[in-house]
């Protein structure tokens, strides 16, 4: 299925006396750009976690956060103090006091807050790596499902615009003879207003040249072809965002050419309507994987 690049997923799991939580947010991006935030104890697994992301996603800016907390209600563990570091601080304090007897001493809270004094609690993170990876897989599966649901809505939106483009093509094609006849009439009236003799054959040649300049059959045909190709791409279920971007450029080029060839207010209005529809599609296609 077509996937949007904008989605959110969250998964939780209790492991032993701890809880693991993955939160993943994704937005549109030209390439796949995963960014992982996690506790230091899990840093060694960052590349493996990124590989799991690459297996599930192909485009988008991915912001994944792993939270690791002690189970609610768990008793606080004892504080491990590095006695050697405390002695270093006290020795330094004694040296300062020898130079400046009036200097205030270190309080207990200041000593405990000094970097390296309190040892981090030892934790066997390796036993949690497998659970964290499995939980990430679950979160990614939820994320993909959310991207597919949003993708289905985008497909419906774009197909509606394709139908409207084809309706406008029919209206422009129906006015083609009217536009050519009006141009013919304007040219004849202009020549007659000059009160000059003219060669009927030369006049027909000039009218034929003008009709060719006003001919938008190729532009209309290409608009229909691009709309059909757009529908086909939306049904493939592949990551087609870049190809859709290219099609938007082609559709916009044909709409611009149609407007430049227009010598009719109604056709000009239809050309502007086409540009609005194409821009609406382009904005939505920016979110397609």
């Amino acid at each position: 299925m077509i996937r949007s690049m904008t989605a959110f997923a969250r998964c939780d799991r209790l492991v032993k006396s701890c809880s693991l939580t993955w939160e993943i947010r994704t937005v549109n991006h030209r390439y796949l750009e995963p960014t992982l935030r996690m506790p230091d104890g899990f840093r060694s697994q960052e590349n493996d976690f990124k590989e799991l992301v690459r297996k599930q996603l192909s485009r988008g800016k991915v912001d994944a956060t792993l939270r690791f907390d002690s189970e609610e209600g768990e008793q606080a563990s004892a504080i491990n103090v590095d006695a050697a570091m405390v002695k270093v601080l006290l020795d330094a304090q004694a040296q300062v006091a020898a130079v400046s007897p009036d200097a205030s001493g270190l309080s207990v809270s200041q000593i405990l807050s000094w970097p390296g004094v309190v040892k981090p609690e030892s934790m066997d993170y390796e036993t949690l790596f497998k659970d964290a990876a499995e939980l990430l897989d679950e979160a990614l599966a939820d994320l993909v499902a959310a991207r597919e649901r949003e993708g289905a809505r985008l497909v419906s939106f774009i197909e509606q615009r394709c139908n409207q483009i084809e309706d406008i093509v029919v209206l422009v094609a129906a006015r083609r003879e009217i536009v050519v006849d009006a141009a013919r009439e304007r040219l004849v009236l202009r020549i007659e207003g000059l009160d000059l003799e003219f060669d009927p054959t030369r006049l027909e040649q000039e009218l034929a040249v003008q009709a060719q300049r006003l001919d938008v059959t190729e532009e209309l045909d290409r608009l229909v072809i691009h709309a059909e190709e757009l529908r086909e791409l939306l049904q493939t279920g592949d990551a087609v965002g870049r190809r859709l971007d290219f099609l938007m450029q082609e559709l916009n080029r044909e709409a611009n050419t149609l407007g430049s060839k227009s010598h009719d207010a109604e056709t000009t209005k239809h050309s502007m309507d086409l540009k609005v529809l194409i821009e609406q599609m382009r904005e939505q296609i920016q979110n397609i994987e």
Side-chain angles (χ1 to χ4, degrees):
M1 295 178 64
I2 292 295
R3 299 176 183 175
S4 168
M5 284 189 284
T6 304
F8 171 80
R10 174 190 172 108
C11 281
D12 306 275
R13 176 181 291 188
L14 289 175
V15 183
K16 300 177 182 178
S17 60
C18 308
S19 67
L20 296 173
T21 302
W22 275 107
E23 284 188 359
I24 309 177
R25 291 176 174 83
T26 61
V27 295
N28 61 317
H29 196 273
R30 290 184 64 188
Y31 310 103
L32 180 63
E33 185 179 310
T35 301
L36 273 60
R37 297 179 177 87
M38 62 190 74
D40 291 338
F42 292 89
R43 284 293 175 191
S44 62
Q45 299 300 297
E46 183 171 359
N47 289 335
D48 292 338
F49 291 159
K50 284 186 175 181
E51 187 60 30
L52 292 176
V53 173
R54 294 188 185 98
K55 288 180 179 178
Q56 296 273 17
L57 308 175
S58 60
R59 286 183 71 194
K61 184 175 177 61
V62 182
D63 185 0
T65 301
L66 173 63
R67 291 189 173 87
F68 168 68
D69 298 305
S70 298
E71 185 177 3
E72 187 177 355
E74 183 182 5
Q75 296 296 322
S77 58
I79 296 177
N80 298 318
V81 177
D82 188 335
M85 179 60 71
V86 174
K87 186 177 184 305
V88 170
L89 287 175
L90 295 177
D91 288 344
Q93 177 179 261
Q95 294 178 32
V96 171
V99 177
S100 176
D102 296 332
S104 59
L106 294 171
S107 66
V108 173
S109 62
Q110 289 174 325
I111 293 175
L112 290 176
S113 63
W114 193 270
V117 169
V118 177
K119 298 178 180 179
E121 183 183 358
S122 60
M123 177 74 187
D124 186 7
Y125 286 98
E126 291 187 7
T127 61
L128 299 172
F129 290 165
K130 181 180 178 182
D131 292 284
E134 291 176 352
L135 190 62
L136 177 58
D137 258 339
E138 291 179 18
L140 287 169
D142 290 348
L143 183 80
V144 168
R147 284 163 70 116
E148 288 178 348
R149 288 193 298 271
E150 180 62 22
R153 287 190 282 269
L154 292 178
V155 168
S156 176
F157 176 91
I158 294 169
E159 287 181 339
Q160 290 176 7
R161 270 54 185 182
C162 286
N163 293 337
Q164 291 176 277
I165 287 175
E166 290 174 340
D167 291 341
I168 291 175
V169 167
V170 172
L171 294 174
V172 173
R175 288 193 60 82
R176 181 170 176 270
E177 294 299 327
I178 298 174
V179 172
V180 173
D181 290 343
R184 173 191 291 269
E185 184 177 349
R186 287 195 300 269
L187 181 60
V188 171
L189 289 175
R190 190 178 301 119
I191 293 175
E192 290 177 348
L194 295 175
D195 195 22
L196 297 173
E197 293 185 3
F198 57 87
D199 183 357
T201 302
R202 178 63 184 275
L203 176 61
E204 290 300 322
Q205 291 175 347
E206 185 63 30
L207 289 171
V209 170
Q210 192 170 77
Q212 186 175 6
R213 290 174 181 169
L214 297 175
D215 186 17
V216 293
T217 303
E218 291 186 8
E219 286 76 14
L220 297 180
D221 288 343
R222 283 195 288 266
L223 282 169
V224 173
I225 290 172
H226 293 330
E228 291 174 350
E229 186 176 358
L230 190 55
R231 286 197 191 91
E232 290 178 3
L233 284 175
L234 292 174
Q235 298 305 318
T236 62
D238 298 328
V240 293
R242 292 189 182 92
R243 295 178 64 185
L244 292 174
D245 285 338
F246 173 75
L247 267 181
M248 290 303 101
Q249 298 175 21
E250 295 301 305
L251 281 167
N252 197 58
R253 182 179 294 111
E254 302 305 333
N256 285 332
T257 304
L258 179 64
S260 66
K261 286 187 175 183
S262 173
H263 288 261
D264 169 61
E266 191 69 21
T267 303
T268 299
K269 177 181 178 300
H270 290 321
S271 172
M272 293 303 297
D273 291 340
L274 283 173
K275 291 181 182 180
V276 170
L277 292 172
I278 293 167
E279 180 61 22
Q280 289 175 348
M281 289 194 296
R282 189 192 66 80
E283 290 178 356
Q284 298 302 322
I285 283 172
Q286 297 299 311
N287 287 325
I288 291 181
E289 186 176 358

